Amino acid sequence: DGAKEGAKKEGGEVDEQELAAHHMPDLIEQNKPMFKPGESGGSAAEATPAAAGKDAKAASGDGAAVASSASSSTAQSTADTAVQQVKEDAAKAKPTLSGSKDKKDDTVYYDCFDLKIVYERNRTGFEETKDYPIEINGVIAGRYQILEFLGAAAFSKAVQCVDLTDGSYVCIKIIKNNKDFFDQSLDEIKILKYMNAHDTRDEHHLLQLYDYFYFKEHLFIVTELLRDNLYEFSKFNRESGAECYFTLPRLQKIMKECLRGLKFVHKLGLIHCDLKPENVLIRSYSRCEIKIIDFGSSCFVTDHLTSYVQSRSYRAPEVILGLSYDHQMDMWSLGCILAELWTGRVLFQNDSLATLLARVVGILGEIDEDMMNRGRYTHRFFTKNKIIYDRLADDERSLVYILPKKTTLKHRLGTDDELFIDFVEKLLRVDPAKRSSAATALEHPWLSKQY
């Protein structure tokens, strides 16, 4: 009762859900979504820096809250005091109507979610090797039976499994036993939970997260099972000699679904940061449906942004030159993907960032002088006379000038379809301020053209 009194708002009732979510996460229903649709920050706990340092503790396990005192009455008293103190500190941090309009709100919001840790009974989690062994028909954590090895990436392996509890097929990403990979994957879980909670009907062509847990020194992420990625399927389609799958009508549908997904992601304040054909998977071949995956490199626009983002062939000019960037970088990557699916070739073929910039200049024209002047890394690729240069791989002291080969986007696309060319050109505007956003691209007439 004391805790409830501490959680009462002036003139209002006790918000027991908020109280529990903030101070006793172990008592909350385990499968309750972390975020609620319609809330800007999700089901975030609110606290000031002062409150964050208070000694209110909660521990998950058998569902029992553990306090520092051995006495349950002392523990309850400590929790009641902490709850009241957090409420008072948070109230103090809120801006007052009588204060200046420019007064800064220093309130800090926190999101939290539980990580399930699975052990084999009467065993510790210690493993002799760093790699999780992939054994066909082996069972992960007593629940997921491995059916097929799907592939490997820089910091993970993917397997197709059947969930023994209901017979459904899933994809499991097994994260390599490495602290940095683990941290990055926790970010991906947070972002997937955030997006899925706002996309409860699964309408925005984004990967669905089913489960995640820690087992035998590895983090496992369980998602829906999809088909080939666009890169692998495009390669197979060309090499098999079959009829071309990526016709303009199908590319229209793929672009519509990608744009709807990106529009949704960007509206949530997120940037994908690594769009490429490998990260767009086919959901249905016959209906030409896709989903965007791999949010391991994604970030919020409010994050401290790094310049090491995007796979090189799909990296936007503003990122390469060291300018500030936002969701428009995803639109550049999408333009590169579209051109590649249509022609079967990487649009800006390169073996370094300097040669990539030379391709961009050769196909799209000179980079705006203002962008060049503002770029923190412009000097790494351009001389004072704006000539592109590169360093020789076998001799860092030797420089070579690169003269861009002049051509046109129309020539590279190999088509006379003016609406299609215009659509691609607007996605590939070098200046991100002039580039189509996901919302404006969805209104482009090419997407509604009948073929």
Side-chain angles (χ1 to χ4, degrees):
D1 291 335
K4 289 183 179 180
E5 287 296 320
K8 281 185 179 179
K9 299 175 181 177
E10 292 187 13
E13 296 298 323
V14 175
D15 188 345
E16 294 186 342
Q17 283 290 351
E18 183 177 355
L19 175 68
H22 194 160
H23 301 288
M24 295 171 282
D26 52 300
L27 303 184
I28 302 174
E29 187 176 337
Q30 290 299 311
N31 60 359
K32 190 169 183 180
M34 180 173 69
F35 301 93
K36 296 179 182 178
E39 295 184 354
S40 60
S43 56
E46 178 181 336
T48 62
K54 296 299 177 181
D55 211 8
K57 299 181 181 179
S60 59
D62 294 330
V66 180
S68 57
S69 171
S71 167
S72 61
S73 60
T74 303
Q76 181 63 51
S77 176
T78 302
D80 293 348
T81 302
V83 169
Q84 177 65 23
Q85 184 62 52
V86 167
K87 191 208 80 159
E88 292 174 357
D89 287 344
K92 291 175 183 177
K94 292 178 180 178
T96 59
L97 294 176
S98 59
S100 168
K101 290 182 180 179
D102 296 327
K103 187 172 181 179
K104 185 179 179 181
D105 181 5
D106 292 327
T107 304
V108 178
Y109 296 90
Y110 295 95
D111 298 322
C112 60
F113 59 85
D114 295 328
L115 174 61
K116 179 169 55 182
I117 302 176
V118 182
Y119 287 96
E120 291 181 6
R121 186 164 293 175
N122 299 324
R123 285 196 59 181
T124 66
F126 174 75
E127 293 296 316
E128 293 183 355
T129 61
K130 288 286 186 180
D131 290 326
Y132 186 87
I134 306 296
E135 298 178 2
I136 303 301
N137 295 322
V139 178
I140 300 173
R143 177 172 176 176
Y144 300 103
Q145 185 174 17
I146 300 174
L147 301 181
E148 183 182 348
F149 177 73
L150 297 177
F155 59 90
S156 64
K157 297 177 182 177
V159 292
Q160 177 182 338
C161 296
V162 58
D163 187 342
L164 297 177
T165 64
D166 59 14
S168 62
Y169 294 102
V170 298
C171 174
I172 297 186
K173 183 155 73 167
I174 306 170
I175 310 303
K176 290 182 181 179
N177 186 352
N178 174 283
K179 175 65 166 56
D180 291 337
F181 299 159
F182 177 84
D183 291 343
Q184 187 171 351
S185 298
L186 288 181
D187 287 339
E188 181 172 17
I189 291 170
K190 169 191 168 70
I191 287 173
L192 285 172
K193 287 171 71 70
Y194 179 61
M195 293 189 305
N196 290 172
H198 286 78
D199 186 22
T200 55
R201 296 184 180 181
D202 190 14
E203 296 175 328
H204 294 93
H205 315 289
L206 305 172
L207 183 68
Q208 290 290 304
L209 174 69
Y210 291 161
D211 192 13
Y212 53 92
F213 55 90
Y214 190 80
F215 176 63
K216 291 190 174 181
E217 297 188 346
H218 291 271
L219 181 64
F220 293 78
I221 302 177
V222 185
T223 67
E224 64 181 312
L225 181 66
L226 299 168
R227 307 299 182 93
D228 282 335
N229 65 58
L230 293 184
Y231 171 77
E232 292 291 346
F233 184 62
S234 177
K235 181 181 178 182
F236 168 79
N237 182 236
R238 291 194 312 274
E239 293 178 351
S240 67
E243 181 182 354
C244 178
Y245 182 84
F246 294 103
T247 60
L248 288 176
R250 286 201 178 105
L251 289 177
Q252 283 177 316
K253 194 166 193 305
I254 290 171
M255 285 299 107
K256 286 178 185 177
E257 295 192 354
C258 284
L259 287 168
R260 287 168 185 152
L262 289 177
K263 179 181 176 182
F264 181 78
V265 167
H266 296 164
K267 191 174 180 181
L268 291 177
L270 291 165
I271 312 172
H272 186 283
C273 292
D274 195 21
L275 268 186
K276 54 185 177 181
E278 293 90 334
N279 287 340
V280 181
L281 267 57
I282 295 175
R283 186 181 191 183
S284 168
Y285 296 108
S286 60
R287 296 189 301 273
C288 192
E289 295 175 348
I290 58 89
K291 283 211 166 187
I292 299 172
I293 70 159
D294 197 349
F295 290 84
S297 300
S298 301
C299 64
F300 289 86
V301 292
T302 51
D303 276 325
H304 297 292
L305 303 178
T306 171
S307 60
Y308 189 70
V309 288
Q310 297 183 296
S311 297
R312 190 172 68 201
S313 293
Y314 310 91
R315 195 172 301 171
E318 62 267 27
V319 177
I320 298 173
L321 295 178
L323 284 83
S324 60
Y325 60 82
D326 57 15
H327 54 269
Q328 290 297 83
M329 65 187 286
D330 287 340
M331 305 309 297
W332 174 274
S333 301
L334 187 65
C336 295
I337 292 171
L338 177 55
E340 184 173 335
L341 292 177
W342 173 244
T343 64
R345 303 186 304 273
V346 173
L347 178 60
F348 303 115
Q349 297 177 22
N350 65 90
D351 52 26
S352 67
L353 287 175
T355 54
L356 172 58
L357 284 172
R359 290 284 189 181
V360 170
V361 171
I363 296 171
L364 301 177
E366 298 296 331
I367 298 175
D368 184 75
E369 188 172 349
D370 179 62
M371 287 184 64
M372 300 269 281
N373 293 335
R374 290 187 292 111
R376 289 174 294 151
Y377 307 140
T378 301
H379 66 279
R380 297 181 182 179
F381 312 107
F382 291 88
T383 67
K384 292 181 179 180
N385 295 323
K386 310 304 182 188
I387 300 174
I388 302 175
Y389 72 90
D390 202 359
R391 297 183 185 276
L392 296 179
D394 55 352
D395 186 358
E396 281 290 313
R397 295 173 298 177
S398 298
L399 305 180
V400 56
Y401 292 120
I402 304 174
L403 301 179
K405 182 180 178 181
K406 295 296 183 181
T407 184
T408 63
L409 183 61
K410 179 178 179 178
H411 178 74
R412 293 288 296 177
L413 293 176
T415 179
D416 292 324
D417 191 320
E418 294 298 335
L419 279 179
F420 174 63
I421 296 170
D422 185 69
F423 181 81
V424 179
E425 186 273 330
K426 285 182 167 60
L427 291 177
L428 293 175
R429 296 264 173 93
V430 174
D431 185 345
K434 299 176 182 177
R435 198 177 301 153
S436 290
S437 67
T440 56
L442 278 168
E443 301 298 322
H444 194 280
W446 175 70
L447 292 177
S448 57
K449 180 178 178 179
Q450 298 296 315
Y451 287 98

